[in-house]
Amino acid sequence: MMPAKTAIDYWFTIEPYVFVGITRKCVLLYNTLDGVSIESDKEEVIELLQETLKEKNCGVVLLTNKRYKKKDINNFIHELREKYMGDIIDIALSKSKPVQLLPYFNFTDKHEIYKRHNFSPRKNVLDNLSEISIHIDSTTDTTKLLFFLQSIPGDPTFNLIGNIGEVPKYDELLSYFDQYPSPKNMLCSYQNVIALQPAYENNFSYRISVHFPIDMPQWNRSRQLLLNQTLSIETIFEVSSEEDCQQAEQIVDQYQIEKYRLTPIYTGNNIRFFEENVFLNKEDILGTSMSIKDFFARQAMNIYDFGKINIIPTGDVYANLNHPALGNIYTDSIYEIVHKEVEEGKSWFRIRNQAPCDDCVYQWLCPPPSNYEIAIGRPNLCRVK
């Protein structure tokens, strides 16, 4: 008589390069090596993943033979192994419970984020300042602005936004920035292009905004002025309709523009244009290649705003122009301004931790909240149900 076959129990584990998104009703596994994903709304699968992600289980849970034979669990594990996203191990092959380090981010408190990234908001706060946008016009006080800028450490990227030709003593401003090895961008309308001195041409870049309808005589004059210089040029078409997009493509073809992009502009009455061209669906979200670091970043900070400040002509400073001012360059130091954003601000750490995103399995695959959400008055721009 043959002896009865012993039922085999297993250790169940997820590979460390797999990100797990989980809600009460669904679970998503995303392979950061190849972008392959697995989704399941099966209650038993959700429970298994919830157990696996508990800190005390260290990424490994016991999977009994009885549980393994359940149809939903068995099908899930078969797909998991087929896509190299996890495995099961006969417990007889291990002397003790294995340990797996999962890419599971569970720091909800801002100061826990500091600890994880070895970041002290008081000691290293200015190390995170990477980009400064200076909005300029005829009221800009060049002397006071330069005095403030001299206190900024490092070599951040500088953006000069507005009509540089209106700024009193603008040549002093350009001369100051010319000393920095970091990128320096001049952002203005095609109507406000000026000819830079030859000494500056290799050290500055132009980002030219184009809004519709286009004044073609002025466009041609500005275009010729730009072609007579050797600096890098990127054309940014501000589009608010399909017609604008078509015109932009025609301009690109006609003038053989190599570096350009289309930036949607919300007007208050073109929500359908945004729904068709900006809102994300499931395929868009899953079609974006993500690394483990990307997932961590989206849970810790707003990658659109983090490390950036804006200075307007009055001297007021913002992390995001849609949020309250952090201070003023005439009365506050750069340290005080950045420290306030780290401790009290609403921009650098604005993430998708609010409803309805906090109950969505794609929460950390979606890009972080942008200015579009603020302008439109919606917490998210997606069509995921």
Side-chain angles (χ1 to χ4, degrees):
M1 183 175 179
M2 295 291 294
K5 190 173 182 180
T6 304
I8 300 175
D9 293 336
Y10 302 94
W11 295 118
F12 169 78
T13 183
I14 301 295
E15 295 295 344
Y17 48 79
V18 174
F19 177 81
V20 182
I22 190 166
T23 68
R24 295 167 297 170
K25 299 180 180 180
C26 185
V27 66
L28 168 74
L29 287 81
Y30 180 92
N31 189 331
T32 60
L33 299 182
D34 57 16
V36 172
S37 62
I38 298 175
E39 293 183 62
S40 177
D41 59 0
K42 304 301 182 181
E43 184 176 347
E44 291 178 340
V45 173
I46 297 173
E47 291 177 354
L48 177 63
L49 269 298
Q50 287 174 334
E51 293 176 28
T52 307
L53 295 178
K54 287 181 179 179
E55 186 176 351
K56 66 178 183 180
N57 287 328
C58 299
V60 180
V61 293
L62 177 66
L63 181 66
T64 64
N65 186 267
K66 180 179 179 182
R67 192 179 190 185
Y68 174 65
K69 287 184 176 180
K70 291 183 178 181
K71 181 179 179 181
D72 291 339
I73 293 289
N74 194 275
N75 289 341
F76 168 72
I77 291 177
H78 178 77
E79 183 177 8
L80 188 81
R81 300 184 75 184
E82 190 176 61
K83 295 180 177 179
Y84 303 100
M85 298 170 71
D87 205 354
I88 55 173
I89 305 169
D90 185 343
I91 62 171
L93 301 178
S94 176
K95 293 181 179 180
S96 60
K97 179 183 176 180
V99 174
Q100 181 68 282
L101 298 178
L102 287 179
Y104 185 58
F105 189 97
N106 61 354
F107 298 112
T108 56
D109 180 76
K110 188 185 298 184
H111 293 281
E112 288 295 326
I113 295 173
Y114 297 154
K115 292 177 185 178
R116 177 178 179 84
H117 295 283
N118 193 27
F119 166 64
S120 167
R122 297 185 181 277
K123 182 180 179 181
N124 304 322
V125 65
L126 293 181
D127 292 345
N128 293 273
L129 184 60
S130 60
E131 186 170 331
I132 300 175
S133 294
I134 304 169
H135 301 256
I136 52 179
D137 62 19
S138 60
T139 67
T140 297
D141 189 323
T142 304
T143 301
K144 291 182 178 179
L145 175 61
L146 290 177
F147 181 78
F148 175 79
L149 293 176
Q150 289 171 2
S151 67
I152 295 175
D155 296 313
T157 295
F158 288 103
N159 301 316
L160 289 173
I161 304 175
N163 186 352
I164 187 70
E166 289 184 348
V167 179
K169 304 177 183 178
Y170 75 80
D171 191 62
E172 292 183 13
L173 199 59
L174 296 180
S175 178
Y176 173 79
F177 287 124
D178 191 49
Q179 306 172 47
Y180 280 84
S182 56
K184 298 169 286 290
N185 305 303
M186 298 177 61
L187 289 76
C188 68
S189 166
Y190 71 95
Q191 298 172 318
N192 303 134
V193 174
I194 66 170
L196 294 182
Q197 294 182 16
Y200 299 144
E201 290 186 9
N202 294 323
N203 299 323
F204 289 82
S205 298
Y206 251 130
R207 292 180 183 173
I208 308 301
S209 63
V210 180
H211 54 274
F212 295 89
I214 300 177
D215 180 342
M216 292 309 298
Q218 179 61 54
W219 162 264
N220 286 319
R221 287 192 293 271
S222 297
R223 182 72 180 166
Q224 189 58 52
L225 192 62
L226 290 169
L227 292 175
N228 289 337
Q229 303 179 72
T230 59
L231 69 171
S232 172
I233 304 168
E234 180 181 20
T235 305
I236 304 171
F237 293 97
E238 299 177 350
V239 296
S240 59
S241 66
E242 295 293 346
E243 291 74 18
D244 288 349
C245 294
Q246 294 173 4
Q247 290 185 49
E249 294 295 344
Q250 291 173 0
I251 292 292
V252 168
D253 291 340
Q254 180 178 350
Y255 291 88
Q256 297 183 326
I257 300 174
E258 296 181 357
K259 191 176 182 180
Y260 72 96
R261 55 189 162 100
L262 275 58
T263 299
I265 301 297
Y266 183 65
T267 64
N269 57 8
N270 63 339
I271 189 63
R272 184 176 294 277
F273 172 73
F274 268 74
E275 289 175 345
E276 294 175 353
N277 296 279
V278 178
F279 281 40
L280 301 175
N281 56 34
K282 175 181 173 180
E283 289 70 27
D284 296 326
I285 296 170
L286 291 177
T288 302
S289 179
M290 295 267 297
S291 69
I292 288 296
K293 288 185 178 180
D294 292 332
F295 282 108
F296 283 151
R298 294 185 181 189
Q299 293 175 79
M301 64 190 70
N302 188 299
I303 59 176
Y304 296 137
D305 288 342
F306 188 81
K308 303 176 184 179
I309 61 172
N310 293 265
I311 303 173
I312 66 173
T314 63
D316 285 339
V317 183
Y318 301 78
N320 183 303
L321 293 174
N322 294 292
H323 295 148
L326 300 172
N328 189 284
I329 65 172
Y330 305 142
T331 58
D332 303 296
S333 70
I334 183 61
Y335 175 88
E336 292 170 327
I337 289 169
V338 175
H339 183 265
K340 185 173 182 180
E341 173 58 28
V342 170
E343 292 295 324
E344 307 172 21
K346 300 181 178 181
S347 306
W348 284 14
F349 300 101
R350 181 169 56 111
I351 59 176
R352 293 202 178 278
N353 58 352
Q354 305 294 322
C357 299
D358 60 350
D359 193 34
C360 177
V361 75
Y362 306 108
Q363 180 182 13
W364 305 122
L365 275 84
C366 279
S370 68
N371 287 337
Y372 289 133
E373 280 91 339
I374 298 175
I376 296 174
R378 289 186 47 160
N380 64 338
L381 302 181
C382 74
R383 294 188 292 269
V384 177
K385 301 298 183 181

